[in-house]
Amino acid sequence: MTTMLNKKVDFPVLNTTMRGNDLVYLDNAATTQKPKSVLETMNHFLTKENGTVNRGVYFLSQEATKKCDDSRKSIQLFLNAASEKEIIFVKGTTEAINLVAYSYGELLKAGDEILITELEHHANIVPWQQLCLRRGCILKVAPITDDGHLDLNEFKKLLSSKTKLVSFCHISNSIGTINPAKEMIKLAKEVGAKVMIDGAQAVSHLKVDVQDLDCDFYAFSGHKCFGPTGIGVLYGKEALLEKMPPFMTGGDMIETVSFQSSSFAELPRKFEAGTPAIVEIIGLGEAIKYMNSLDFTEIQEYEQKLLNLAQEKLGELDVRLIGPTHTKAAIVSFVVNGVHAHDVGTILDMEGIAVRVGHHCTQPLMKRYKVSSTIRASFCFYNNMDDVDALVRGLKKVREFLG
Ligand code: 7TS
């Protein structure tokens, strides 16, 4: 390998041991580790500066408010959104999609169609399915080809003037497929549909530019891009957010309240009911700062090298790779022939190797491949060649133990 980014040093957890071995963390699609700067910023805030936002006349509250505003601003710049009003703080990708399904869903009527793909995480299936049950809309699903890519011809065929919303993952969490987002958005716009992108797996791997993509909504989770859990972002085009009713109601999202009626706050607060996740917002701001210090072109090249090496070495073992082999993120999903995925995961864990086994919250996709579960190793720029070797050594042990 020519480039070694050597970033493990920034992430304290990666320098610990697990069951007597150096930790090999390969579950980055589930959650990423946090750099020191994020941990220190959150600790500093809670230790020295804790206060609530948007209320106090006192210093601590003003400081907390300013830090949350700064975080929103850095997210706006990070995504290249046109305005801070377009950045809504939510709990995570799941909440962002639910918000759109409820609020944008209020604008839909019986017979309207929503188009998703076979690649989706349950978080990008269930909210639409439930919306369809509530409002009589129709859920359509664009199929994938055997090699794990969206079948663009079928996708095109499913688009019509009835399609009101298309929602798809930028990158599949389960098999790593990178969707041709720009092309899909262009096609959806031709029939007048709005587009939501589930970017949970993308923001830590690709440079995302919402204006260049021209999507209407984009969602991601802080914990999957080096920030804390409990915080995520919904980007939405201002004009569309203006038309949508609030999702949750209560404090912070109002302008005036009487017992008869209420008026709502301006964007983005119209969609942010209740005391926000203050320290998490500040932590996410620091994670964005960390990502701004990275060169995403270099990261992509490096992660592709890790992926190629992993695919090559796994190809030499008695395993079946599931999903695409190209145009994909550094996620490998596979089954070890004749061995249950959970047994593989348990033996790897004994070696200090963390992978996810199961259906990865993509049961329909598992069904498509006629498997109930896979082993998934998902890489990040802080992984290195030794981590790939450790995985391969671990899989050889699985064979030794289980035959
Ligand atoms: N969409 C995608 C593509 C995801 O990968 C996930 C989480 C979600 C939505 C939901 O994100 P959350 O932060 O709201 O939970 N994916 C995974 C995974 O692959 N393993 O654990 C969680």
Side-chain angles (χ1 to χ4, degrees):
M1 183 150 315
T2 49
T3 351
M4 287 294 262
L5 292 184
N6 203 17
K7 290 281 186 192
K8 278 196 188 192
V9 5
D10 294 345
F11 295 80
V13 170
L14 299 176
N15 299 298
T16 56
T17 54
M18 200 53 59
R19 305 198 190 283
N21 295 289
D22 287 342
L23 170 66
V24 176
Y25 186 74
L26 297 176
D27 198 16
N28 294 289
T31 201
T32 55
Q33 299 302 345
K34 324 301 168 201
K36 258 184 284 183
S37 57
V38 169
L39 302 173
E40 281 164 8
T41 297
M42 292 176 72
N43 189 30
H44 179 85
F45 177 78
L46 288 176
T47 316
K48 305 252 159 102
E49 299 175 336
N50 186 45
T52 194
V53 291
N54 305 330
R55 284 175 178 81
V57 291
Y58 53 92
F59 184 78
L60 287 180
S61 177
Q62 288 165 6
E63 270 301 289
T65 307
K66 183 177 173 313
K67 289 196 166 170
C68 287
D69 290 346
D70 289 349
S71 175
R72 197 190 301 276
K73 181 75 196 167
S74 56
I75 293 161
Q76 179 213 329
L77 298 174
F78 179 71
L79 292 178
N80 192 30
S83 152
E84 280 151 77
K85 292 181 177 174
E86 301 184 319
I87 304 300
I88 316 280
F89 286 123
V90 289
K91 235 168 37 177
T93 308
T94 304
E95 186 177 305
I97 299 172
N98 274 279
L99 189 161
V100 176
Y102 275 86
S103 296
Y104 179 73
E106 288 289 298
L107 310 178
L108 301 184
K109 56 180 194 319
D112 286 345
E113 293 180 3
I114 292 154
L115 177 58
I116 60 172
T117 83
E118 223 172 1
L119 288 166
E120 303 314 319
H121 186 280
H122 297 162
N124 200 25
I125 301 174
V126 188
W128 307 118
Q129 179 187 81
Q130 297 302 307
L131 164 65
C132 289
L133 290 172
R134 283 195 306 277
R135 299 194 73 83
C137 302
I138 298 157
L139 186 64
K140 300 264 171 168
V141 184
I144 55 167
T145 56
D146 287 343
D147 65 356
H149 295 286
L150 181 75
D151 187 329
L152 258 180
N153 279 331
E154 290 302 315
F155 177 76
K156 273 184 219 166
K157 281 191 212 155
L158 288 165
L159 287 167
S160 77
S161 58
K162 289 193 200 141
T163 318
K164 296 300 168 218
L165 189 100
V166 179
S167 187
F168 62 88
C169 56
H170 207 164
I171 295 178
S172 150
N173 69 308
S174 197
I175 57 173
T177 314
I178 301 177
N179 269 322
K182 260 184 113 160
E183 200 173 344
M184 292 167 76
I185 292 166
K186 194 166 161 282
L187 291 166
K189 299 265 145 153
E190 279 168 18
V191 298
K194 304 294 180 207
V195 181
M196 165 143 214
I197 301 187
D198 169 353
Q201 296 298 335
V203 283
S204 60
H205 300 286
L206 308 174
K207 188 84 203 90
V208 174
D209 180 331
V210 289
Q211 291 192 75
D212 181 52
L213 284 168
D214 196 24
C215 55
D216 297 283
F217 301 105
Y218 197 99
F220 71 90
S221 300
H223 72 98
K224 290 185 197 284
C225 59
F226 320 110
T229 49
I231 187 69
V233 169
L234 171 68
Y235 156 81
K237 279 192 180 158
E238 187 177 342
L240 197 51
L241 291 174
E242 288 291 0
K243 283 194 198 129
M244 289 159 47
F247 173 41
M248 292 201 266
T249 52
D252 271 344
M253 57 71 69
I254 52 83
E255 201 60 65
T256 59
V257 176
S258 74
F259 285 119
Q260 287 71 40
S261 66
S262 306
S263 63
F264 304 129
E266 298 277 300
L267 288 174
R269 285 171 61 192
K270 173 175 134 187
F271 288 105
E272 294 179 352
T275 303
I278 300 169
V279 68
E280 288 81 4
I281 291 174
I282 294 168
L284 176 57
E286 195 61 35
I288 298 284
K289 199 186 272 180
Y290 185 83
M291 285 196 284
N292 284 338
S293 75
L294 304 170
D295 175 342
F296 272 85
T297 311
E298 189 184 7
I299 281 179
Q300 260 176 302
E301 280 168 15
Y302 178 72
E303 290 182 354
Q304 286 297 312
K305 282 180 185 156
L306 288 175
L307 172 68
N308 291 342
L309 188 71
Q311 293 195 142
E312 182 192 316
K313 297 219 166 179
L314 290 177
E316 291 162 7
L317 305 175
D318 186 19
V319 309
R320 175 183 159 212
L321 286 163
I322 307 283
T325 51
H326 64 88
T327 325
K328 67 178 290 191
I331 293 175
V332 282
S333 221
F334 57 95
V335 290
V336 175
N337 294 326
V339 184
H340 197 285
H342 281 83
D343 294 336
V344 177
T346 305
I347 292 171
L348 291 178
D349 175 54
M350 281 158 48
E351 303 295 310
I353 303 165
V355 293
R356 182 163 175 197
V357 295
H359 53 61
H360 319 296
C361 298
T362 55
Q363 286 183 15
L365 184 60
M366 293 290 111
K367 202 167 164 207
R368 168 71 174 77
Y369 281 104
K370 299 189 173 57
V371 290
S372 58
S373 57
T374 75
I375 302 133
R376 180 188 69 182
S378 51
F379 296 86
C380 181
F381 59 78
Y382 47 56
N383 290 119
N384 58 29
M385 204 159 48
D386 293 343
D387 295 337
V388 179
D389 286 340
L391 174 66
V392 172
R393 265 199 318 276
L395 290 170
K396 287 185 177 157
K397 284 223 163 120
V398 170
R399 272 282 167 248
E400 277 167 32
F401 285 160
L402 300 176

